[in-house]
Amino acid sequence: MFGNLLASCSYDRKVIIWKETNGTWDALHECNNHDSSVNSVCWAPHEFGLMLVCGSSDGAISVLSSAGDGTWETKKVNNAHTIGCNAVSWAPAVVPGSLIEQPSAQKPITVKRFVSGGCDNLVKIWKEEEGQWKEEQKLEAHSDWVRDVAWAPSIGLPHSTIASCSQDGRVIIWTSDDSTGSMWTPKILHKFNDVVWHVSWSITGNILAVSGGDNKVSLWKESLEGQWVCVSDVNKGQGQQPSEGPQAEQ
Amino acid sequence: MAARWNENIVAEHRDLQANAMSVDCTGQFAILAGKRVWAVINLDTPQDVVKKLSRQSRWEVSVVEWNPHVLQKNLFAATSNQSADIWSWADGCGRQIASLKAHTRVISDVNWSCFDSNMLATCSVDTYIYLWDIRDSRKPASALSAVAGAAQVKWNKIDSNYIATAHDGDIRIWDHRKNSTPVQYIAAHLSKIHGLDWEPKQELCLATSSQDGTVKFWDVTSPRQPQSTLNSTAPVWRARYTPFGNGLVTIVVPQLRRGENSLLLWNTDNLSVPMHTFIGHSDVVLEFQWRKFNEDSTDYQLVTWSRDHTLRLWKIDPHLQKLCGAEEFIDDVHRDMVSISPGSRHSSISGVAIEKTSLGSDKEQTGSAVEEINEKVKNVSSSATTVTAGQPQTLQQEFSLVNVSDITNVKLDLDAMHRSCKVTSVHVNNMVTLNVSFPANYPNNAAPDFTFTKPTNIDTKTKSKLLKILQETSHQHVKRNRTCLEPCIRKLVTGLETLTVDDKVQDSSQTPYNLQNVSVVKQPVMPIISYGSYRDHNIPFPRTSGARFCSVGKLVVFMRPVVKKSSNPENTPRSLSVLGTFRTLPIKGMASQTSQYNIYNTNLGSPTRDVEVSISNYYKDRDRERKIRGRGSSKHKRGWEVDYVKPTSSGLVTVYDIEIVLPIHKTLAQNYVLDHNDIPGMCKFGTLCQHCHREVKGAHCVECKRYSFQCAICHVAVKGSSNFCLSCRHGGHSHHMLEWFQTQDVCPTGCGCYCMQEDFQLYGRERTDSFSRSGHTGRERTDSFGRSGITSRERADSYGKSGFSNFL
């Protein structure tokens, strides 16, 4: 979702950008860049402009950016993940550490980055360099397909966090404490008994919602000692318990 | 062509771990060879293992091959590492009768001679090709020395002297009477040749399949240029001629296992499109062989063994054989029959045709005559379905050969005299009448004209679509000077069915589940097959539940409807392709624990295709299936019928308000005033000296000269992050407080205050207040407010833990 734009991807290999005008949704643009199912789309932070990254089962990742005149420019990274790419997520547009650093004369240049996960069990970080997308980091820890990745929002503290989840039931939190993001340390948040399909960060970047094949959602938070604890476990099948955990809205 | 769903039989043998398979010459037994066991399987009941023989070897069986001669049909050769063992299978037990040891490196292929039942060729990467007489297993009867190691060795199927071997990208042809040098070299491919097969009907022709993604057809006498080339998108592992017609079956080396687990059937006369695709294996096909259905029939079965541990038997019906040009190939058993029947049949039919001509315009009579022809055609065709000797030369002949007896809703009105025919097809509420007129030079690159006449009740859009289909079909055929009436009729019927499928859905919703009805419904062509998702192993299974934070402090959660609690992780599928295996027909009683997703038979399935591919139904059906299985499998069909309910409940999308768990407090943030003009004033907000209760701006109180805030643990002035009790007002460094209160609940100063409890009550009552009183010394205040108030995870947590002033 980007304003009144919605991007959707599908098993039919297409990515469609929809636009809402007066309450109706119309397809604004249809992209047929991929040879197999497109599994994930993610809009870039608004600071980067109208930009969209798509990950597909053909192993490629494509970055669509609006030229502004209604046309879309595509940059494709072929064979980004062997066998297939399952998830993509943009890094926040905030430079790590910018909050506490002394404001220098020139504004630091924000590097565009995104993270992807795929069937090669890898999490990869991509960086835009001279208009081209280059693989910056390759993070290895999962033992099966990576099903989702999520880069945590940031207000500019000097660390970056990425969550990834996998077919192997593990959710891994990757942290990097330098602003360049060259060193990433994995930490297993939890090993679930079933496939983990989805991870999502709260806007504050400190709570992670995890959901998977067991049809359950749990919320996780890091304690001061650096342990990840489950703060809320919603077993949807068993009905909501409003006294503990999230309150249900109508 | 590819979407036709073939009848196939599936048998799963997961325990065998076999990687080689061979079918014996009678087509009755198949052997599956794994590292630990041999298993002999009777192909009439392929799910049962007739006999298992354990074997002790460090090496896998690389190739296994039955002797192709009926005389020695109980022998099979199996190679593992450097030796080839000859086994005998008789009376339900197997015994090794010889071990052929001469190769110094691993044996890559073994092939029995088609002429001498005792002759066997082996090849190895040690560069030698040995020919053995199994009666003397001590040493090879003959040795062919090549410079390069060989991957394949194959005896010629017509001339007993020739042998072909594949060495990387080259082919060598040997005459075993002259074993010093090859008689022919063919530099066939630039990449490695994986497979080699001699043409069964032409002495000097062979096909090579290679890593470069092509199959090349060679006449060994002209090694410079292949006769033709078949291009595939992936490296071709095997390409073998079919025992009927001009067919060829290929399997590819799947690139990254991207769902290319199908076998393709080609007609060697038309290498642009495969005639048929055998879809079903969920992993790489390791081996395929042909099996004669039984002695008296022309039906063949394709037996395939795949890494997915299933043995599949695909029926190759006459229609498919015909597609491969099988009408030109009639095997011995049938030659007699054919030689009698076509003559008589043709004469009688032409007789009728002549009679009809003489009758001229008498329509009624003509009609009955045509009916008579049809009747005869039907009779003839039902007695010998495959007997279609050659291409019909005239229109009369074609008319007489048209066999659409299997299509129930079509009526034909053939008029050879006026070179036209009238096709009437009724489907549900739709009726189509089509006039086909054949030009004089049909079928030699002249397509017939199609016009819809009354009574036809389909709309113009459907009409034009159907016309397009018909024209395409006819053009494809007449381009090759082939007749096209029958294919066109078939296309018309299927086209009509698919184009008017909406009506069908409507119709079936009125009678939700009627088995009789279902049995008539033709198996629909899977709509999604066109983009292959069901075949690709690596397209992930859709997420059927999920949760995502949304920017306004909400958590959006969706889920699949919960039928019952199930937490067996084995049940959560991995890739979308499990839905594809929904469609295969298993054998009853096959290993149930591994065939979770295989139990669906389209005949039994729901009447509309939409339901068939829905994800929610996948779960629903599976749960129901489990229930049914609990009651005993004999009730399976009944259970389906009774339990069938229209899926009504869909998953819920729930939006949760999660503001309470976020370290953001909207009211606080609203009350917090950022005054750029009076920053010192803003910073005043807060701390009073512990001792004299005056405002302080540093570590020391200006009034009493003491530390404005002293840590109760280390007695040093607190400058950074701090916490204190709202009741007794003692406190100190955050980390000290945190440590202390992990084990204690009284104040560290010994004042007797139960800080944790007090603060908990206080906090509960006045949470807003607690914020303003969380102590920070002036210098760091702005920053720490900013950090703790909005994002710092550590900070927020420490407050939460210590219980002093929990922002949450």
Side-chain angles (χ1 to χ4, degrees), chain A residues 34-45:
Chain A
H34 290 284
D35 304 326
S36 186
S37 160
V38 184
N39 300 321
S40 178
V41 282
C42 185
W43 287 108

Side-chain angles (χ1 to χ4, degrees), chain A residues 139-160:
Chain A
L139 310 180
E140 277 184 82
H142 284 293
S143 60
D144 206 337
W145 291 2
V146 178
R147 283 302 300 261
D148 199 12
V149 284
W151 201 310
S154 161
I155 54 149
L157 289 173
H159 57 248
S160 313

Side-chain angles (χ1 to χ4, degrees), chain B residues 329-627:
Chain B
F329 172 72
I330 299 149
D331 61 320
D332 295 349
V333 186
H334 293 89
R335 196 161 284 153
D336 294 347
M337 194 173 106
V338 172
S339 64
I340 302 163
S341 57
S344 56
R345 196 173 93 225
H346 281 285
S347 63
S348 74
I349 289 168
S350 52
V352 174
I354 292 157
E355 193 185 342
K356 189 173 70 184
T357 325
S358 64
L359 283 167
S361 58
D362 194 340
K363 272 187 184 164
E364 241 180 65
Q365 292 241 10
T366 317
S368 68
V370 171
E371 266 173 33
E372 203 181 315
I373 298 173
N374 282 343
E375 209 51 50
K376 280 184 185 178
V377 170
K378 274 181 193 169
N379 289 340
V380 171
S381 55
S382 57
S383 64
T385 38
T386 48
V387 181
T388 44
Q391 266 294 318
Q393 294 309 307
T394 66
L395 200 58
Q396 278 99 330
Q397 261 185 342
E398 188 192 349
F399 282 1
S400 68
L401 287 171
V402 166
N403 174 17
V404 288
S405 53
D406 56 322
I407 308 172
T408 48
N409 51 358
V410 165
K411 234 178 77 190
L412 289 182
D413 210 343
L414 305 162
D415 184 359
M417 170 83 179
H418 294 99
R419 300 192 69 82
S420 75
C421 101
K422 197 163 152 191
V423 184
T424 318
S425 174
V426 184
H427 178 68
V428 194
N429 299 321
N430 296 299
M431 188 176 183
V432 168
T433 314
L434 184 74
N435 246 339
V436 191
S437 57
F438 300 87
N441 51 345
Y442 168 87
N444 297 322
N445 212 5
D449 277 339
F450 301 95
T451 41
F452 285 107
T453 57
K454 283 181 182 175
T456 298
N457 64 355
I458 51 170
D459 55 19
T460 22
K461 211 174 128 194
T462 321
K463 266 188 200 171
S464 59
K465 276 186 187 164
L466 283 174
L467 273 182
K468 208 176 149 212
I469 294 172
L470 289 168
Q471 277 155 4
E472 276 173 11
T473 317
S474 58
H475 276 286
Q476 272 175 11
H477 283 79
V478 297
K479 217 162 60 191
R480 286 179 274 143
N481 302 339
R482 283 168 189 264
T483 58
C484 67
L485 181 58
E486 190 179 325
C488 285
I489 294 169
R490 286 178 190 279
K491 281 279 177 184
L492 174 75
V493 173
T494 46
L496 191 64
E497 275 168 18
T498 28
L499 291 174
T500 57
V501 75
D502 293 344
D503 301 345
K504 197 165 85 182
V505 174
Q506 248 173 26
D507 189 53
S508 55
S509 66
Q510 285 157 7
T511 50
Y513 203 73
N514 179 343
L515 272 179
Q516 279 178 335
N517 207 1
V518 174
S519 62
V520 182
V521 172
K522 286 210 127 192
Q523 295 197 355
V525 174
M526 200 153 55
I528 301 176
I529 209 124
S530 57
Y531 53 86
S533 296
Y534 282 152
R535 282 180 278 151
D536 193 331
H537 265 234
N538 296 302
I539 293 183
F541 193 76
R543 302 161 176 146
T544 53
S545 69
R548 192 187 279 266
F549 283 106
C550 149
S551 49
V552 287
K554 304 275 192 289
L555 180 70
V556 184
V557 172
F558 74 95
M559 57 194 164
R560 62 181 152 89
V562 177
V563 183
K564 69 177 197 183
K565 203 191 164 198
S566 66
S567 56
N568 183 1
E570 294 291 311
N571 287 342
T572 307
R574 176 189 188 81
S575 67
L576 190 66
S577 54
V578 296
L579 296 176
T581 49
F582 247 175
R583 310 175 50 76
T584 51
L585 169 65
I587 290 172
K588 280 207 184 74
M590 60 186 276
S592 59
Q593 69 275 25
T594 45
S595 62
Q596 297 261 20
Y597 316 121
N598 282 350
I599 85 129
Y600 295 99
N601 170 357
T602 31
N603 288 331
L604 264 179
S606 32
T608 68
R609 65 183 68 177
D610 298 356
V611 178
E612 213 170 310
V613 294
S614 113
I615 306 295
S616 52
N617 256 51
Y618 167 79
Y619 280 99
K620 239 183 151 58
D621 292 350
R622 207 185 51 190
D623 283 332
R624 186 177 311 123
E625 175 252 311
R626 215 181 280 139
K627 209 157 59 194

Side-chain angles (χ1 to χ4, degrees), chain B residues 36-87:
Chain B
R36 301 255 164 265
V37 282
W38 304 103
V40 177
I41 284 162
N42 186 336
L43 288 175
D44 295 329
T45 52
Q47 70 275 28
D48 302 322
V49 174
V50 178
K51 179 80 182 175
K52 254 191 222 178
L53 309 167
S54 62
R55 74 184 273 272
Q56 253 88 46
S57 172
R58 286 165 57 207
W59 313 101
E60 293 272 359
V61 175
S62 46
V63 194
V64 57
E65 193 175 82
W66 286 92
N67 192 311
H69 300 272
V70 182
L71 268 176
Q72 307 239 39
K73 64 177 183 188
N74 55 336
L75 295 185
F76 64 87
T79 68
S80 79
N81 199 25
Q82 299 173 6
S83 68
D85 300 330
I86 310 297
W87 287 70

